[in-house]
Amino acid sequence: MPVRPTAALSALLTTALSVTALAACGSGSGHGPDTVKVSYKQSTDNSVKVADTYLAGVKEQFEREHPGKKVEFVPIKAPDAEYYTKLQQMLRSPRTAPDLVYEDTFLINSDITSGYLKPLDAYLAKWPDWKRFIGSAKAAAKGRDGKTYGVPDGTDTRGLWFDKRVFSKAGLPPDWRPRNWADVLSAARTIKRKVPGVVPLNVYTGKPAGERATMQGFEMLLYGTGDGSLDPLYDDTTGKWVVGSRGFKDALSFVETVYREKLGPDVSDALDPNFNTTVNGELLPQGKLGIALDGSWLPQTWQPGSGHPWPDWSRHLGLAAMPTQHGQAPGKVSMSGGWTWAIPAKAANPDLAFDFVKTLQTKDNARKWYIANSGIAVREDVAADPAYTGAQPGLRFFTGLVAHTHYRPAYPAYPKVSTAIQEAMEGVTTGDLSVAEAASGYDATVEDVTGGRVVRK
Amino acid sequence: MRRGHPAVRALPLVPALVLLLLFLAGPIAYCVWIAFTDLQLTGQAHSSFTGLANFRRAFQDDAFLNAVWLTLVFTVLSSLIGQNTLGLALAALMKRASKPVRTLTGGVVITAWVLPEVVAGFLLYAFFRREGTLNAVLDWLHLPRQNWLFTLPILAVSFANVWRGTAFSMLVYSAALDEIPAEITEAAEVDGAGGWRRLWHITLPMIRRSIGTNLMLNTLQTLSVFGLIWVMTRGGPGDRSQTLPLFMYEQAFQNSMIGYGTAVALLLLLVGSLFSVVYLRLLRTEV
């Protein structure tokens, strides 16, 4: 009897699919007790191999010092937002969970709440180097249960970058040190008056800029209001989000002033999702931006081999700390994020994973890493090391800000609160909303997305 | 050949059926289930069944209603009017054009279609942005320039979708027009029917079936456009070009509310099927 085509086809499909399915089950699941699987974020830019090169070196050292043990990398090649998603999916199942993962402090608390991560306190207590880590960085990887879930491998800080070429044309001092918000605005007004064709001041704003608007823009203002002793976004004692605060409206007013007086970029440029590329690649190198409220990592963009090499940037750009609103103590403000190494709750070899963390975070390796990725040291011994501070202009300045830096309340609701901030900013930037309207819109949204966990201040 | 019992004859299909159910229907059913829970990607220890809460939430959410409205505008502008009409016009014109013109036009239109969505997005972003090509042309014509992605974002992304997707309609209609017997057109011409009359009374009725299929495929494809809009405007400024797929992405992956995002996806599916039913009814072939 001739075989009918459908039968042949179905048989073929069955075989093919079951082979694939079996293969899928086979790989990925359990690996030997001598191999530690490490997931990290690989750059989406193929020419950037900073993390890969660094980790390969550490792997070699680890395998040499731990005979019989192996390190296997499971790199995830994705932009930030997608990296989180992929990682979270891997962490859900013991079959896909690696032994060590690279976690952004932005989402670590969320992943702790989900039960994806393992507390490290038992390991840290026996690790002498942990005492070297600065307090604020340690706090960034702490869960609400008081346990620590990650070892930070550096941080970032933020401040004011200003163009000395623009400043000299405007008659402003090359060693500019603004003492309060009014100083920043008045410098911008001077630039607007005296140097036409230049954007006086850039503050990232609106939803298209995303977390960049919230952190480099709004929070750099908000955390400089009040007396700095309390978190202006989140109330730790009650575990509730702050609404209706004076500081929030003041920070919004600052943004409104920048865009209403046309001290910032054209609104339509500011709301272009790719505007940061223009700032880093064109406006700053070409001397078309007076003051930029931005992060410590900018020189990464200007290194040789990147898209816009600008080796002598430090000749043209000056750095100043972002002042507090009225110059009240401590006088300056900075925000920090950064990444940590964490061990998944479903890891197969957690002990070996922590051994790998110890190798990653020897003083020498830590210093090598900070220098390679323009990171800011979170180990006191490295921060004081001239081999580190002298490695790149600006490192000393941004490391000095660590003492005045704040970490975001990165609890599960934070990403939604951040979106609400961006919407409020966007309202005052376009002029569609008054400060009062935008602030009350924020209050309502936060009340909604946090399920009513808000407190009026 | 001896005919076996129907059950025995169906036997070889069983493995395929099982696999289909497992790999196709399984995930779909799982999706439907998730839409009724408060599952989050992160930030939650346990998820629970919440019934219709996600759907109720959607209809009370201004951002969702805004996304539905923009999705309709985007679909009507770019798929129904743009791709469909332009595709038909191109196909009709090309039927009469000389071979070199036909090859050239076809080549250009199909290139736009073959380009990956993200690449097309960047090209059109460069075209519409403030320092972009369109404004350069307007300057040259002494017409006022503006930032199209800021002032008319939904129109800009709709145009982009027309630019990218017209080739498909053109191909469908070219094939359909070739099917019309030349005698019928000639007979009508002899009877004195002008161009418009021939289009209305002969061409359109004869390619009715293709119109239906094309509209349906076009619409379903347009409803799910994501990369193009993401690259050009990220749904902004504000949420003035945030169609349902972008809204869904924001909820599911940026706000990590997988349950809510999936519920929105189901609603999008519903919008798609509504469109399909309407087309099928309107264009049902009379026998």
Side-chain angles (χ1 to χ4, degrees):
Chain A
M1 190 179 92
V3 180
R4 273 168 299 141
T6 44
L9 193 67
S10 72
L12 194 72
L13 263 175
T14 314
T15 327
L17 282 175
S18 34
V19 167
T20 337
L22 286 175
C25 296
S27 72
S29 61
H31 47 283
D34 293 330
T35 304
V36 51
K37 282 195 165 189
V38 180
S39 271
Y40 66 97
K41 186 173 165 308
Q42 197 171 41
S43 173
T44 46
D45 183 341
N46 282 324
S47 63
V48 179
K49 293 264 177 230
V50 180
D52 311 67
T53 316
Y54 167 73
L55 286 171
V58 179
K59 169 186 154 93
E60 207 173 285
Q61 184 189 344
F62 181 82
E63 288 174 354
R64 201 170 52 237
E65 292 170 1
H66 299 76
K69 309 292 181 194
K70 284 248 164 302
V71 179
E72 190 186 319
F73 291 123
V74 188
I76 300 175
K77 196 189 192 86
D80 284 357
E82 279 97 273
Y83 175 80
Y84 308 139
T85 311
K86 285 193 184 181
L87 193 64
Q88 282 152 357
Q89 280 163 345
M90 286 166 77
L91 295 178
R92 291 179 90 90
S93 153
R95 285 201 301 106
T96 49
D99 297 312
L100 189 64
V101 293
Y102 202 41
E103 276 271 348
D104 193 334
T105 52
F106 172 56
L107 274 181
I108 191 163
N109 262 295
S110 210
D111 287 351
I112 295 169
T113 312
S114 311
Y116 292 157
L117 304 177
K118 192 181 172 66
L120 304 179
D121 299 70
Y123 297 112
L124 296 171
K126 283 183 272 170
W127 184 38
D129 285 31
W130 187 234
K131 285 197 295 291
R132 303 279 184 195
F133 285 75
I134 54 172
S136 60
K138 283 178 175 174
K142 223 175 221 171
R144 285 170 73 177
D145 55 7
K147 295 180 187 152
T148 302
Y149 288 81
V151 175
D153 79 330
T155 185
D156 45 31
T157 52
R158 287 150 179 78
L160 293 163
W161 299 76
F162 60 93
D163 194 310
K164 294 181 201 161
R165 295 166 290 187
V166 176
F167 267 49
S168 89
K169 279 185 217 153
L172 290 162
D175 55 349
W176 185 55
R177 290 281 169 274
R179 280 157 316 175
N180 49 40
W181 288 3
D183 283 357
V184 178
L185 289 174
S186 94
R189 289 186 187 115
T190 310
I191 295 170
K192 180 175 153 72
R193 214 171 44 242
K194 296 199 180 154
V195 198
V198 161
V199 176
L201 166 66
N202 179 48
V203 178
Y204 286 114
T205 183
K207 260 173 86 177
E211 186 58 17
R212 191 175 292 119
T214 313
M215 203 170 173
Q216 273 90 275
F218 195 78
E219 289 171 350
M220 285 295 286
L221 295 159
L222 182 65
Y223 279 77
T225 64
D227 66 0
S229 67
L230 294 171
D231 190 317
L233 267 187
Y234 184 81
D235 183 49
D236 255 315
T237 48
T238 55
K240 292 179 175 176
W241 295 88
V242 177
V243 295
S245 79
R246 176 77 251 160
F248 193 90
K249 291 191 195 103
D250 289 348
L252 270 184
S253 298
F254 186 98
V255 177
E256 189 198 37
T257 308
V258 169
Y259 289 94
R260 196 194 49 220
E261 291 187 22
K262 301 201 183 307
L263 302 174
D266 189 276
V267 174
S268 66
D269 287 337
L271 296 180
D272 180 326
N274 304 311
F275 186 55
N276 74 307
T277 320
T278 316
V279 170
N280 301 345
E282 293 170 30
L283 297 183
L284 278 172
Q286 293 169 8
K288 287 185 185 158
L289 176 57
I291 309 166
L293 182 51
D294 220 314
S296 53
W297 58 86
L298 282 197
Q300 255 185 342
T301 331
W302 304 320
Q303 269 160 16
S306 64
H308 310 274
W310 188 22
D312 59 345
W313 64 267
S314 57
R315 237 164 28 90
H316 301 301
L317 296 184
L319 288 161
M322 178 67 192
T324 51
Q325 184 176 9
H326 306 293
Q328 74 273 34
K332 38 186 147 173
V333 57
S334 172
M335 297 298 299
S336 283
W339 293 70
T340 64
W341 289 103
I343 300 180
K346 294 180 171 142
N349 298 325
D351 297 352
L352 201 57
F354 195 78
D355 285 341
F356 188 67
V357 172
K358 287 196 254 180
T359 311
L360 275 168
Q361 285 297 322
T362 62
K363 185 188 169 198
D364 285 350
N365 281 341
R367 184 186 55 218
K368 224 184 273 173
W369 173 236
Y370 300 146
I371 294 172
N373 81 335
S374 303
I376 302 300
V378 288
R379 283 179 65 119
E380 289 156 353
D381 48 356
V382 180
D385 186 343
Y388 157 77
T389 45
Q392 208 180 79
L395 265 186
R396 193 187 298 271
F397 169 82
F398 282 111
T399 307
L401 291 178
V402 170
H404 306 287
T405 202
H406 302 267
Y407 281 81
R408 293 161 290 179
Y411 296 115
Y414 179 79
K416 297 170 216 167
V417 172
S418 170
T419 310
I421 290 178
Q422 293 151 29
E423 281 164 357
M425 286 180 96
E426 189 161 325
V428 298
T429 300
T430 55
D432 288 347
L433 299 176
S434 69
V435 168
E437 287 165 340
S440 69
Y442 168 81
D443 293 351
T445 311
V446 171
E447 185 150 5
D448 178 39
V449 297
T450 59
R453 299 190 61 79
V454 294
V455 54
R456 287 205 161 260
K457 285 232 165 143
Chain B
M1 197 163 71
R2 194 168 51 89
R3 298 173 69 95
H5 188 273
V8 177
R9 283 169 57 216
L11 209 59
L13 281 174
V14 170
L17 194 71
V18 168
L19 286 168
L20 262 180
L21 284 177
L22 201 67
F23 289 103
L24 208 67
I28 294 176
Y30 184 54
C31 266
V32 174
W33 161 251
I34 290 176
F36 292 93
T37 68
D38 61 355
L39 182 72
Q40 295 193 11
L41 191 59
T42 178
Q44 163 206 61
H46 304 283
S47 64
S48 53
F49 181 79
T50 54
L52 290 172
N54 285 330
F55 297 93
R56 267 200 299 276
R57 183 198 169 101
F59 285 105
Q60 284 161 1
D61 188 344
D62 289 341
F64 170 79
L65 299 175
N66 170 65
V68 171
W69 166 245
L70 287 175
T71 309
L72 291 179
V73 172
F74 180 65
T75 308
V76 169
L77 278 182
S78 68
S79 162
L80 214 59
I81 300 177
Q83 293 183 1
N84 188 54
T85 318
L86 195 62
L88 179 58
L90 277 173
L93 289 174
M94 273 166 65
K95 213 170 144 59
R96 292 161 173 267
S98 63
K99 190 147 194 293
V101 174
R102 205 156 57 208
T103 319
L104 190 72
T105 322
V108 170
V109 176
I110 289 170
T111 308
W113 192 51
V114 171
L115 280 179
E117 206 179 356
V118 175
V119 177
F122 273 114
L123 282 177
L124 286 146
Y125 166 76
F127 178 75
F128 279 115
R129 64 181 287 221
R130 203 155 67 99
E131 304 302 325
T133 327
L134 179 58
N135 278 333
V137 172
L138 288 176
D139 275 350
W140 187 69
L141 294 170
H142 298 287
L143 288 169
R145 53 155 56 210
Q146 53 181 313
N147 188 334
W148 300 94
L149 294 170
F150 181 71
T151 47
L152 293 164
I154 192 70
L155 207 64
V157 293
S158 299
F159 176 86
N161 192 41
V162 173
W163 183 84
R164 195 177 114 78
T166 301
F168 181 76
S169 302
M170 189 189 82
L171 292 175
V172 170
Y173 288 133
S174 291
L177 290 179
D178 286 342
E179 295 281 297
I180 300 177
E183 309 88 74
I184 297 186
T185 322
E186 277 159 24
E189 242 169 298
V190 171
D191 287 347
W196 285 113
R197 274 185 79 110
R198 280 208 308 279
L199 176 75
W200 194 248
H201 289 290
I202 300 190
T203 316
L204 287 184
M206 291 203 73
I207 60 167
R208 226 181 147 113
R209 219 187 274 258
S210 304
I211 297 178
T213 320
N214 182 52
L215 273 178
M216 197 155 82
L217 291 174
N218 252 335
T219 307
L220 292 180
Q221 222 232 319
T222 301
L223 281 175
S224 64
V225 166
F226 175 82
L228 198 67
I229 306 182
W230 181 255
V231 170
M232 287 177 70
T233 64
R234 253 175 240 168
D239 45 16
R240 284 194 277 142
S241 57
Q242 193 178 50
T243 55
L244 275 173
L246 277 96
F247 177 75
M248 206 164 77
Y249 179 84
E250 184 178 288
Q251 297 306 326
F253 296 112
Q254 289 181 314
N255 295 345
S256 75
M257 297 194 284
I258 298 277
Y260 185 41
T262 316
V264 174
L266 285 188
L267 291 170
L268 180 64
L269 200 72
L270 200 72
V271 175
S273 37
L274 276 179
F275 267 106
S276 308
V277 169
V278 170
Y279 294 147
L280 288 177
R281 296 219 134 240
L282 279 181
L283 298 156
R284 189 183 284 166
T285 27
E286 296 141 18
V287 186

